[in-house]
């Protein structure tokens, strides 16, 4: 219930205004967001890479309804990728891209062209792009776009959300050689007709998807902080004789950092998803929805203002 309210608020302009202007919000935001600028993102990347971890950078900005803004977002990614290359960080860091940031809501072809430009900049820098998965209404479009991108940039990854009833089917289609698939539970709201809504069902689906990905020929990226799923992922990798370079774990910046280092210390590949930028509102609200206990702090901060 609370999760749905928070996810609904993540699209509300009124809620956005209140949350963004509350005096204490920024402290909590900084727990999940690595700063506002490319310099901030590179600083965080260096720090994380220095701990033996990998990075995927998300230049925040989503739900773009203006083609000029979409183009500006592409330029921002191109600059980021250029600086990863010149800064010698491209072997440790890739980027994550939301198609909604580059015009998916305006026109799928526009988003494809824009994503192509980001992939070209990534290739030039010697790194890769993974497409985030967003609201369930965009899944078919995102899968079409990634299939197109992979003709020219076969290293392009995509996220699949285990809360979708069709997730196992998507994984089966994507579990081929060279295919990078990030498996996550899913951070948006979706109706029961298309998505599992109970935590147990979502977790069972996650395990089924991991089985398919680990048994397949691609490169599974297990994106969860859930200790049980991390353990099952490791067991499935061993069962299928995958060595540690044949898959990776992924976690979000600011969440379970000790566990990230513990897994890396055991020899696993661990990638930290680092979001940065001024457009942190939607991303931040989804993090609150995952852990509503953070809310007390936010409410106190809003109350302080009024
Ligand atoms: C690298 C990465 C990329 C992602 N990409 C996408 C994507 O493209 N599309 C998409 O829909 N979703 C994406 N997600 C989000 C994902 O779908 C989940 O919403 C999120 O990861 C929480 O689920 P969980 O698997 O960690 O399990 P949960 O059951 O939610 O959490 C397990 C445990 O992790 C800790 N935890 C989880 N979330 C938080 C939090 N916000 N604050 C503090 N502790 C927390 C808690 O200890 C919790 O008990 C991504 C997640 C990761 C890690």
């Amino acid at each position: 219930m609370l999760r749905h309210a928070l996810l609904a608020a993540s699209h509300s302009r009124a809620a956005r205004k209140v949350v963004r202007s509350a005096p204490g919000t920024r402290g909590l935001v900084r727990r999940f967001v690595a700063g506002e600028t490319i310099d901030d993102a590179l600083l965080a990347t260096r720090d994380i890479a220095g701990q033996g971890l990998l990075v995927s950078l998300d230049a925040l900005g989503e739900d773009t309804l203006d083609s000029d803004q979409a183009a500006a977002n592409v330029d921002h990614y191109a600059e980021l990728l250029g600086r990863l290359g010149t800064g010698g960080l491209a072997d440790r860091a890739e980027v994550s891209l939301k198609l909604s940031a580059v015009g998916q809501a305006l026109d799928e072809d526009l988003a494809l062209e824009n994503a192509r430009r980001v992939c070209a900049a990534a290739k030039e820098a010697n790194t890769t792009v993974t497409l985030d998965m967003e609201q369930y209404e965009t899944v078919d479009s995102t899968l079409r776009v990634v299939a197109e991108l992979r003709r020219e940039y076969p290293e392009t990854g995509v996220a699949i959300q285990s809360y979708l009833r069709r997730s196992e089917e998507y994984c089966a289609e994507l579990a081929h050689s060279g295919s990078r698939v990030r498996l996550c539970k899913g951070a948006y709201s979706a109706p029961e007709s298309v998505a599992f809504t109970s935590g147990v069902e979502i977790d069972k689906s996650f395990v089924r998807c991991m089985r398919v990905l680990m048994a397949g020929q691609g490169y599974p990226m297990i994106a969860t902080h859930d200790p049980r799923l991390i353990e099952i992922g490791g067991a499935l990798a061993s069962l299928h004789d995958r060595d540690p370079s044949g898959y990776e774990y992924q976690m979000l910046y600011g969440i379970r950092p000790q566990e990230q280092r513990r897994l890396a210390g055991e020899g696993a590949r661990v990638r930290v998803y680092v979001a940065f930028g001024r457009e942190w509102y939607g991303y931040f609200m989804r993090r609150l929805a995952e852990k509503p206990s953070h809310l007390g702090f936010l409410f106190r901060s809003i109350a302080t203002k009024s």
Side-chain angles (χ1 to χ4, degrees):
M1 189 74 171
L2 192 51
R3 177 174 181 271
H4 287 293
L6 286 165
L7 291 177
S10 74
H11 300 290
S12 153
R13 283 181 184 277
R16 178 192 175 100
K17 207 169 158 194
V18 173
V19 172
R20 281 192 71 108
S21 59
T25 308
R26 284 191 179 254
L28 192 51
V29 170
R30 272 313 293 246
R31 183 177 160 191
F32 302 112
V33 175
E36 296 202 335
T37 64
I38 289 180
D39 283 337
D40 293 333
L42 295 181
L43 206 62
T45 301
R46 259 182 225 294
D47 176 38
I48 294 165
Q51 299 172 44
L53 303 161
L54 303 164
V55 171
S56 190
L57 284 162
D58 171 10
L60 291 167
E62 54 193 81
D63 299 337
T64 304
L65 294 172
D66 170 338
S67 55
D68 289 342
Q69 184 57 51
N73 289 342
V74 173
D75 292 343
H76 194 46
Y77 265 97
E79 183 185 346
L80 170 66
L81 284 156
R83 293 204 42 203
L84 281 179
T86 53
L89 290 166
D91 60 334
R92 306 299 295 171
E94 64 143 28
V95 297
S96 285
L97 178 69
K98 284 184 174 54
L99 288 180
S100 77
V102 293
Q104 190 177 33
L106 295 169
D107 176 28
E108 185 177 308
D109 287 341
L110 172 73
L112 171 60
E113 275 321 303
N114 282 337
R116 245 191 209 120
R117 286 184 50 209
V118 177
C119 289
K123 190 166 182 156
E124 176 82 24
N126 231 349
T127 186
T128 52
V129 179
T130 296
L131 298 188
D132 285 352
M133 195 58 88
E134 303 178 69
Q135 283 93 342
Y136 72 97
E137 297 95 328
T138 65
V139 172
D140 289 342
S141 161
T142 301
L143 292 174
R144 277 194 298 272
V145 169
V146 78
E148 276 305 312
L149 292 172
R150 280 181 166 160
R151 289 171 190 267
E152 210 175 336
Y153 305 102
E155 62 283 0
T156 309
V158 67
I160 296 296
Q161 300 148 321
S162 76
Y163 70 179
L164 292 181
R165 292 181 187 275
R166 293 185 60 194
S167 53
E168 198 181 342
E169 188 189 318
Y170 297 140
C171 287
E173 280 164 18
L174 289 164
H176 54 78
S177 176
S179 171
R180 295 166 62 249
V181 180
R182 176 202 297 155
L183 180 63
C184 61
K185 289 190 186 181
Y188 299 81
S189 324
E192 230 180 320
S193 54
V194 297
F196 300 112
T197 48
S198 92
V200 174
E201 286 297 330
I202 295 168
D203 290 359
K204 282 186 183 167
S205 170
F206 198 105
V207 174
R208 288 195 299 273
C209 290
M210 276 198 293
R211 278 188 207 285
V212 171
L213 294 174
M214 289 291 184
Q217 301 300 311
Y219 180 77
M221 303 185 280
I222 305 303
T224 182
H225 314 93
D226 187 326
R228 220 155 50 99
L229 295 177
I230 290 170
E231 204 181 320
I232 295 171
L236 284 169
S238 303
L239 186 71
H240 291 286
D241 290 329
R242 280 183 183 266
D243 73 53
S245 65
Y247 66 104
E248 69 185 42
Y249 296 105
Q250 296 192 344
M251 295 189 208
L252 301 176
Y253 175 84
I255 304 182
R256 303 200 71 205
Q258 283 180 338
E259 176 66 359
Q260 296 166 13
R261 289 192 289 270
R262 185 192 71 79
L263 286 165
E266 287 183 353
R269 281 168 69 84
V270 182
R271 190 176 300 274
V272 183
Y273 183 107
V274 177
F276 74 97
R278 291 183 185 88
E279 295 302 317
W280 47 259
Y281 178 71
Y283 181 84
F284 174 66
M285 293 303 278
R286 290 193 292 279
R287 301 297 76 82
L288 286 187
E290 284 153 6
K291 188 96 171 175
S293 57
H294 295 315
L295 266 182
F297 183 88
L298 181 65
F299 284 149
R300 277 197 298 281
S301 152
I302 291 169
T304 312
K305 188 190 168 206
S306 50

